[in-house]
Amino acid sequence: MTVLTVPIKSDTWIKASWEEFIQAAENPDYEKGKFYYYQDHLRIEMSPVSRDHAGDHGLVNGAL
């Protein structure tokens, strides 16, 4: 069984086994990511929205 030892770069297709895909999907570091697996490749899309952005959005909504 292969074990992931390096962080996965988001928004990029990387060669990975199904077992590596499952490991990444169960990793708490990627819990907010969207996972894709296609033809022996893995992709994780992480949301670019940060806590600061969410706070600014709430401030604008409150002002309106």
Side-chain angles (χ1 to χ4, degrees), residues 4-7 11 13 20-21 26 38-39 53 59-60 62:
L4 293 173
T5 58
V6 296
D11 302 318
W13 287 99
E20 290 170 320
F21 173 78
E26 292 174 347
Y38 182 69
Q39 295 184 346
H53 177 80
L59 180 64
V60 170

Side-chain angles (χ1 to χ4, degrees), residues 3-64:
V3 177
L4 293 173
T5 58
V6 296
I8 299 170
K9 185 175 180 183
S10 64
D11 302 318
T12 302
W13 287 99
I14 62 167
K15 186 156 181 67
S17 67
W18 178 251
E19 291 81 15
E20 290 170 320
F21 173 78
I22 297 299
Q23 285 178 3
E26 292 174 347
N27 186 330
D29 293 340
Y30 305 116
E31 71 181 335
K32 295 188 183 213
K34 292 182 181 178
F35 290 81
Y36 304 93
Y37 191 77
Y38 182 69
Q39 295 184 346
D40 297 326
H41 285 77
L42 158 69
R43 180 182 176 99
I44 302 173
E45 293 180 355
M46 299 298 288
S47 173
V49 178
S50 67
R51 185 173 182 255
D52 294 334
H53 177 80
D56 292 344
H57 181 71
L59 180 64
V60 170
N61 282 342
L64 293 175

